[in-house]
Amino acid sequence: MNGDETILRFEGVTVEFAGVPALKRVSFSVPKGETRVLFGEAGSGKTVALKTALGLIRPVEGEVYLFGREITRLSEEELFDLRSQVGMLFQEGALFDSLTIEENVAYPLINQKSIHAPPEEVARRVREALSFVELEHTLEKYPSELSGGMRRRVAIARAVVTEPPLVLYDSPTAGLDPITSTTICALIMKNRDLRHTTTLLVTHRYQNGNLLANYRYDEASGKLVPATPDRPAPRTIFLGFRGGELVFEGTQTEMEASSDPYVGKFVKHNG
Amino acid sequence: MLDFAKGPILAIQEFFILAGQAVRNVFRRPHYGADIALQMDTIGFGSLPIVILTGFFSGAVMALQMSRALAQYGQVGRTGTVVSITLVRELGPVLTALMVAGRNASGMASEIGSMKVTEQIDAMRALGTDPIQKLVTPRMIATAVVLPLLTIIADFTGMFGGFIVAYYLLNLTPAQYWHTVWTALEWNDVSQGLLKPFVFSFAISLVGCYYGLQTTGGTQGVGRATTQAVVVASVLVFVLTFFITKIFVGNVVS
């Protein structure tokens, strides 16, 4: 594997909160353009892994390479530049509730020093990002005026408005009904397949991972279509977390064939 | 034994790190002028009614109480002196600071705390802003500017409250009252009366923001952070006023 092409790499990463380990010597790497699906029970370290990848949490041990740079010892200032190339969707969206939808989506364009877009461009790109998630009519509204699914879509718009090459999604479908969650997955895949972004997705639902691994977004029809050998979906690897440890890493086929009951639980319960 | 002390010492260390960063940000770009103005409006203008009311009645009650004591020496005519000195040196700064601590330290802790538990603070960092620069520094600057101003307003309304009591209940003439009020004050009184709110402002804003940023554990955590912020900020006001007074009184005596 070409080292330059690795977008994100964890090497023996241990994270502790007040002495309690949240990640234990986790190592994995994500080559450019590939998809990773992170699964595991609540509190198993999936969210912590995403936040560590962004440098929001500093590990006590190990190294994190983001776009080839070791980030665990970078200052917050230096991290801002790297973070501008990463989109992050937080659990529950984490929209700023005192700002309108327009201001929320414009936030990274205005505040990220390395982007710092001029006002006309901000307005255009915000509109573009909102029409990407089919919510261009909500500009003046506040997050509290939207439904849960709509808020999640706005959060996706905010995460991808800067067109980052790497996007991290933390439980984008948690708490949504199956139909809405398929819509959210379709948006994630639309962004992945149109812009060829590297994607990390934390999820509790096996169907989401299944969708990401076996379908792709078809630009002509605007729908999800099954991947075919000549037009495959990006390589998708499943990462299983348990109590802060990485206990499984493999393809969907390997996951379904796994004899580990912990891994099996996630396949069967949702399958 | 050592483990018992570790928690509080760590908290104090984190508080001073936050304070250091917040102060350093005053001299660094970017500055969020709109946020400072907004905070000045909520803390300053928003606290006006409560500050005027407490100021007025504390002045009035001081006049009433002191007239009783002064009557023993036949000095009711000097009520203005006592009201003026106690208000400017102590009651004005401390009561105003307590009101603002109750209103705004709690407001800051709950607002920032809610943002913390809904990951908005993390989102800010992920999207290129330093939460200390964007949230803490504007609140600190705004409080430092408006608390001395609020204190001056409280002092004056307090003197006016004292006047109402002196004129209607103690039968002093306006000239007599205002003359004693005015001549009682020295630079030492005025300078400590203005230094106190300036110092208190940092305690109030930084404690409020500190507890907000430390919030964990959902809505319950927000409630806990809010309570702690008000309690700690209020106690700090009393501790600080003692030490500042000690410095000034020490000067006068020696």
Side-chain angles (χ1 to χ4, degrees), chain B residues 136-161:
Chain B
V136 180
T137 303
R139 282 165 173 75
M140 186 185 77
I141 295 174
T143 317
V145 172
V146 299
L147 196 59
L149 297 177
L150 286 171
T151 303
I152 293 170
I153 293 170
D155 288 348
F156 276 108
T157 48
M159 289 170 187
F160 182 71

Side-chain angles (χ1 to χ4, degrees), chain A residues 51 56 76 83 107 112, chain B residues 119-120 122 125-127 129:
Chain A
K51 287 189 181 173
L56 296 174
E76 191 81 0
R83 284 182 195 146
Y107 198 91
Q112 257 154 5
Chain B
E119 294 186 305
Q120 290 179 53
D122 277 335
R125 292 173 64 201
L127 300 175
T129 28

Side-chain angles (χ1 to χ4, degrees), chain A residues 102-121:
Chain A
E102 183 176 16
E103 290 165 333
N104 260 291
V105 179
Y107 198 91
L109 291 174
I110 293 169
N111 286 290
Q112 257 154 5
K113 277 190 213 124
S114 52
I115 297 173
H116 222 84
E120 344 45 272
E121 200 193 322

Side-chain angles (χ1 to χ4, degrees), chain A residues 1-139:
Chain A
M1 194 192 313
N2 187 347
D4 295 340
E5 291 289 304
T6 303
I7 297 281
L8 175 67
R9 188 152 57 97
F10 273 49
E11 256 176 40
V13 174
T14 301
V15 172
E16 282 181 7
F17 293 119
V20 183
L23 282 185
K24 293 179 204 158
R25 292 178 300 282
V26 169
S27 304
F28 65 88
S29 70
V30 189
K32 189 169 191 247
E34 293 196 359
T35 299
R36 290 290 178 275
V37 177
L38 286 70
F39 69 93
E41 54 198 19
S44 58
K46 311 178 296 282
T47 299
V48 176
L50 289 197
K51 287 189 181 173
T52 308
L54 258 184
L56 296 174
I57 296 173
R58 280 180 204 275
V60 290
E61 212 183 289
E63 277 127 38
V64 179
Y65 295 88
L66 185 62
F67 301 107
R69 272 188 85 180
E70 210 285 308
I71 63 164
T72 55
R73 271 172 288 277
L74 289 186
S75 73
E76 191 81 0
E77 308 275 299
E78 292 170 299
L79 279 170
F80 280 145
D81 285 342
L82 276 174
R83 284 182 195 146
S84 66
Q85 300 181 61
V86 186
M88 169 102 185
L89 174 79
F90 288 88
Q91 238 166 46
E92 313 286 332
L95 294 173
F96 301 124
D97 42 26
S98 56
L99 302 181
T100 63
I101 299 304
E102 183 176 16
E103 290 165 333
N104 260 291
V105 179
Y107 198 91
L109 291 174
I110 293 169
N111 286 290
Q112 257 154 5
K113 277 190 213 124
S114 52
I115 297 173
H116 222 84
E120 344 45 272
E121 200 193 322
V122 169
R124 182 182 60 78
R125 287 174 75 172
V126 166
R127 240 161 267 268
E128 240 172 56
L130 280 171
S131 71
F132 183 83
V133 297
E134 290 153 28
L135 280 176
E136 54 276 61
H137 53 282
T138 60
L139 283 173

